[in-house]
Amino acid sequence: MTDSKTKKEERMDINTLLGDYLVEKPEPIIGAKTIQIFLIREILDYTALRTEDTKELNTVATPLSINSKEQISRVAFFASKQKAVESRELERMLRTAVEKQGGIENDKLELGDNNNEKKVKKIKQCYLKDKLCMECPRCVLYGATALSQEANIKHRIEYSTAFSLLPWDDIEETITFNAINDKNIMTGQALGSRYVVKPATIFPSIVTLKSVSREELILTIKTLLSAKSYGAETRIGGDIRNHIVGIAAGWEEIITPLEFTLELYDKKINIEDKTSLEIEQTVVAILRDYLQYTANPDKIKILDDKKEEGNGANTGNVQENGGQEIVDELKTVIDEARNQQLGSDFLYKIYKDVQKFRETQS
Ligand SMILES: [Zn+2]
């Protein structure tokens, strides 16, 4: 499509932007198609990021930034902590969407469509950790280990430890709590301390998808946007908002979360005084720098904002700027995911895909 008029008429969507890096439906054999989703995980309440056996925050020594090799401590947000919350969030979202279509019957959910008798599919309940159904979109994306003789499912979503943007001593706080006597409302002796990160702490983070379908990308984006409670002791604190600040696709991963944090530290990223477009542009610039290290740079697509002359169709992602239009590709993808209804057609496709996936395995 070299003709500019034809190009304008082509509506930008997930398939036109990322179709080369998506599969039609999930398959047990995983290829090189990789999509990295870049996040800023913004802490919105005191949050305990620690392992169960220690009360202290997980910290790790890292360089201060890409340009400064001075060693400092950063708080680590372990991959397992991010994954556990998001896997559950996806399970809840799917269960609620399916329930809305049918309802529970004999420990099974029935997904139906009144207009089409064929669109009926029995769905099993699925719970972490010991009742994974091995038959739902969550199990097929996050992976599942069979308890019986069935084949295991390998995960196609990958998490890595995220590192705080700022050094540990800038973001940690120790909260001492006291016992209150219910009878006389007198404060007793100190019971102990909680070690937490403060609100407004930022964790740059990356979620990586391998050989996923359009529907799985949409489910992942919805999950990242809706998950909001992380860390230990979530009944008091742990609120987090995930901002999607970039998406890149290719036949490989472009950058790791530690590199992402060290680069953003150098760029003095501060989400309070930057617009989302400015943050996206910073992320795009960082990713372009890392193309020099990739094996197949010609196969990499970084979602960017495109400037075009004239007046094409206004999709809501178009901003006028002195006769030029700026089309925000990242916003286009995120909005398409947000606006996708989890209705019977969508649910039928993703559950049918899982069924075919399991049939291929056996
Ligand atoms: Zn399942």
mmCIF file of all heavy atoms in Angstrom, residues 126 133-134 136 139, ligand 1:
data_model
loop_
_atom_site.group_PDB
_atom_site.id
_atom_site.type_symbol
_atom_site.label_atom_id
_atom_site.label_comp_id
_atom_site.label_asym_id
_atom_site.label_seq_id
_atom_site.Cartn_x
_atom_site.Cartn_y
_atom_site.Cartn_z
ATOM 1 N N CYS A 126 -12.036 -23.186 37.689
ATOM 2 C CA CYS A 126 -10.570 -23.191 37.700
ATOM 3 C C CYS A 126 -10.087 -22.346 38.868
ATOM 4 O O CYS A 126 -10.439 -21.176 38.979
ATOM 5 C CB CYS A 126 -10.062 -22.617 36.385
ATOM 6 S SG CYS A 126 -8.278 -22.534 36.253
ATOM 7 N N CYS A 133 -7.868 -26.036 35.940
ATOM 8 C CA CYS A 133 -8.727 -26.862 35.096
ATOM 9 C C CYS A 133 -8.017 -27.397 33.861
ATOM 10 O O CYS A 133 -8.455 -28.373 33.276
ATOM 11 C CB CYS A 133 -9.961 -26.068 34.694
ATOM 12 S SG CYS A 133 -9.627 -24.775 33.483
ATOM 13 N N MET A 134 -6.925 -26.769 33.452
ATOM 14 C CA MET A 134 -6.187 -27.146 32.239
ATOM 15 C C MET A 134 -7.028 -26.958 30.975
ATOM 16 O O MET A 134 -6.682 -27.445 29.921
ATOM 17 C CB MET A 134 -5.703 -28.615 32.268
ATOM 18 C CG MET A 134 -5.119 -29.114 33.556
ATOM 19 S SD MET A 134 -3.371 -28.734 33.796
ATOM 20 C CE MET A 134 -2.584 -29.559 32.436
ATOM 21 N N CYS A 136 -8.877 -23.761 30.345
ATOM 22 C CA CYS A 136 -9.355 -22.388 30.184
ATOM 23 C C CYS A 136 -8.236 -21.494 29.625
ATOM 24 O O CYS A 136 -7.063 -21.868 29.654
ATOM 25 C CB CYS A 136 -9.878 -21.850 31.514
ATOM 26 S SG CYS A 136 -8.590 -21.351 32.665
ATOM 27 N N CYS A 139 -5.226 -21.019 31.993
ATOM 28 C CA CYS A 139 -4.297 -22.156 32.094
ATOM 29 C C CYS A 139 -3.403 -22.245 30.858
ATOM 30 O O CYS A 139 -2.229 -22.565 30.954
ATOM 31 C CB CYS A 139 -5.073 -23.461 32.271
ATOM 32 S SG CYS A 139 -5.762 -23.640 33.927
HETATM 33 ZN ZN ZN B 1 -7.968 -23.054 34.053
#
